[in-house]
Amino acid sequence: MNKARFLDRSTPPHVMTLVLVAGVAALSMNVFLPSLAAMSVYFGTDYAVMQFAVSGYLAATAVLQLVIGPLSDLFGRRPVMLVSIVLMIVATLICTFAPNITVFMIGRVLQAAIASGFVLARAIVRDMVPAEQAASMIGYVTMGMSVVPMVGPTVGGFLNDLAGWQASFAFVGLSAVAVLLLVFFDMGETNRQKSASFAAQFQAWPQLLRSTRFWGYALTCTLSSGLFFSFLGGAPFVGSVLYGLTPAVLGMQFFFMATGYMLGNFVSGRYASRIGIPVMMLAGNVIALAGIVIAYLLLQLDLGSHYEFFIPLALIGVGNGVTLPSANAGMVSVQPHLAGSASGLGGALTIGGGAMLSVIASSLLSEEAGTTHLLLVMLVNGVLAVATSAYAGRQERRHAQRLLRGEA
C-alpha cells in the first residue's frame, strides 16, 4: 500500500487524521457528562432518565457497529466514514436545539453514527500494516485520541458554567465539521479487498463466531472496556451527588483516568510489537484490577475525599491503554479479509457490554450505599477481564503451534 501523504486522497490517511476522527467520537461520548445534572433540571426529568444519554448512546453505537464494518468492507472505508460524520453533525444540531427530552434523546441516539470513528480507525490501520505492527499503531492512534476525553469533560464543565449545557454540543458540532473537511481532503481508500455483497459479510460472521481466538479477543475488549464504561456510568453521580462537585471541578476529575489511558497507550505503542499481544493484554488487565482494589481499600479508610475514588481508578485508564490496542489488533487479524466486519462485530460486543455495565453501575448508586456497590461490580468485572485475557493468550499460542505443524 502507498505511503500516507498528508492531504493526498490517493494515499492512506495520515495517522493524525485517524486520531482526530476517533477523537471526535470520544468527544461526543463524554464532553457533556458534567452537565447531566443541569440537563435533567432543564428538561424537567429525573437524573436516571438523563443517564439514557449515556447508556442509550452506547447501545445505539453497538448496533451501528454491526452495520458500519460490513458496509466499509463492501463500499470502502472512505465513503462510509464521510456519510457517518455528516449524520453525526445533523444529529448534534438536533441535540443543541432540542425543545424537549424526547427530541434530545432522538438526536443523541443519532449521534452514534460517529461510531465509524472507532470501527474504521481500527480497520484502516489493519489495512495498512500487519497484525503486530497494527497493535503498536493502534496504540499510538489511541494515545493521541485519549487527549480528547482527557480535556473533553473539563471543557464541557467550563462551557456549562459559561453558556449552559448547549455549548458543549455546539463545540462537538464545530469539531465534527472540521474533521469532515480533513477526512474529505486527506483520507484515501484503504480497503483493497472489497466484499462481493453486503449479505456476504453477514454470511461470513460464522467464521468469526466459531473462532475461539476471536471470542478471546472480543471478550477481552468487552470486559476491559466495561471497567471504563462502569466508571463512565457512575462518575457523574459520584462527583456531583456524593461529593458535591461543580460541573467544572467534576470535569477535571476525568484527567486522572484519561492521563492514565494516554500513558498506557504510550507503553503499548512502544512495546507491543516487542513483547507481543498476549502479554500486553494480560498485563494491562492486572494493572486495572490493582487500581480497583486500591480504591476499595481506600474506601474502607473513609477519608472523605473524592480523590480516594478518582485517583486510584486512573489505573483502569493505564490498564485499558495497555490492553485494548493489542486486543483490537488481534481481533481484526483473526480473519484479515474480514477486518471491517471483525472490527464492527467486536465493537458491537464491546460497546453493547459497556452499555449494559453502565446501566448496572448507575442503577446501583445511591447516597446510602456510596461507591461500595459500584466498586464491587468493577472488582468482579476486573477479575473476569484478567481471566479472558489469559484465555485469549492461550488460544493464540495454540494457533501458532498449529501453524508450525501445518494444520492451519
Side-chain angles (χ1 to χ4, degrees):
M1 185 169 289
N2 295 334
K3 185 177 179 180
R5 292 190 298 271
F6 189 55
L7 298 181
D8 185 344
R9 283 182 285 168
S10 66
T11 68
H14 191 277
V15 65
M16 186 53 64
T17 299
L18 298 179
V19 168
L20 292 175
V21 170
V24 167
L27 185 69
S28 174
M29 181 185 295
N30 74 356
V31 68
F32 70 98
L33 288 182
S35 301
L36 276 180
M39 292 166 69
S40 66
V41 173
Y42 179 88
F43 287 116
T45 188
D46 293 337
Y47 187 87
V49 174
M50 210 65 238
Q51 279 279 356
F52 185 75
V54 177
S55 58
Y57 176 88
L58 293 176
T61 299
V63 173
L64 283 174
Q65 290 197 57
L66 294 174
V67 179
I68 288 171
L71 283 176
S72 74
D73 283 338
L74 176 62
F75 296 110
R77 318 296 187 208
R78 175 182 165 83
V80 174
M81 183 76 84
L82 289 171
V83 171
S84 297
I85 297 174
V86 170
L87 288 175
M88 185 263 188
I89 292 171
V90 173
T92 302
L93 288 172
I94 294 174
C95 290
T96 305
F97 299 103
N100 55 58
I101 187 64
T102 301
V103 174
F104 173 82
M105 288 300 180
I106 291 172
R108 179 61 181 158
V109 170
L110 290 176
Q111 267 193 317
I114 197 60
S116 61
F118 297 121
V119 178
L120 299 187
R122 294 192 297 258
I124 289 168
V125 168
R126 187 60 186 89
D127 290 339
M128 296 166 62
V129 297
E132 292 295 341
Q133 293 180 37
S136 289
M137 190 170 179
I138 289 174
Y140 284 124
V141 168
T142 52
M143 180 180 69
M145 183 193 76
S146 67
V147 174
V148 174
M150 180 169 67
V151 301
T154 304
V155 172
F158 281 112
L159 287 174
N160 179 91
D161 290 353
L162 182 66
W165 64 266
Q166 295 92 338
S168 295
F169 287 89
F171 179 65
V172 170
L174 291 173
S175 300
V177 170
V179 167
L180 176 65
L181 294 173
L182 179 60
V183 169
F184 182 82
F185 288 107
D186 180 61
M187 182 176 165
E189 184 56 63
T190 61
N191 182 6
R192 306 301 184 190
Q193 300 178 16
K194 294 185 177 68
S195 58
S197 68
F198 186 70
Q201 287 298 296
F202 291 98
Q203 292 167 4
W205 275 9
Q207 296 179 47
L208 296 172
L209 296 176
R210 287 195 300 266
S211 171
T212 55
R213 292 172 63 216
F214 174 80
W215 276 110
Y217 291 126
L219 288 175
T220 298
C221 285
T222 299
L223 291 166
S224 300
S225 298
L227 294 172
F228 170 72
F229 288 124
S230 295
F231 173 83
L232 205 64
F237 182 90
V238 171
S240 61
V241 177
L242 297 184
Y243 291 107
L245 304 181
T246 65
V249 174
L250 173 58
M252 293 177 66
Q253 306 313 305
F254 286 83
F255 266 110
F256 301 123
M257 176 74 72
T259 301
Y261 189 58
M262 186 165 62
L263 175 60
N265 282 153
F266 173 77
V267 171
S268 183
R270 186 78 171 81
Y271 297 107
S273 59
R274 297 189 222 171
I275 296 177
I277 286 174
V279 175
M280 294 297 289
M281 290 191 303
L282 182 59
N285 280 321
V286 169
I287 292 170
L289 181 60
I292 301 167
V293 171
I294 293 171
Y296 187 78
L297 292 177
L298 289 177
L299 175 65
Q300 309 314 308
L301 297 177
D302 194 21
L303 301 177
S305 169
H306 62 274
Y307 292 120
E308 68 184 4
F309 177 82
F310 288 101
I311 290 181
L313 294 187
L315 288 176
I316 292 177
V318 177
N320 274 196
V322 172
T323 296
L324 292 178
S326 290
N328 281 316
M331 188 166 60
V332 297
S333 298
V334 172
Q335 298 284 347
H337 65 291
L338 297 175
S341 293
S343 181
L345 179 58
L349 292 170
T350 299
I351 302 297
M356 181 177 66
L357 287 165
S358 176
V359 171
I360 292 173
S362 60
S363 67
L364 292 176
L365 286 166
S366 67
E367 293 188 61
E368 295 75 20
T371 60
T372 301
H373 295 164
L374 172 62
L375 289 173
L376 287 175
V377 168
M378 296 174 76
L379 187 63
V380 172
N381 189 352
V383 171
L384 292 175
V386 170
T388 55
S389 55
Y391 171 80
R394 184 166 63 251
Q395 295 304 315
E396 191 60 41
R397 288 190 293 272
R398 289 179 177 175
H399 176 71
Q401 291 170 359
R402 287 195 296 270
L403 288 177
L404 288 174
R405 294 194 299 266
E407 297 177 6

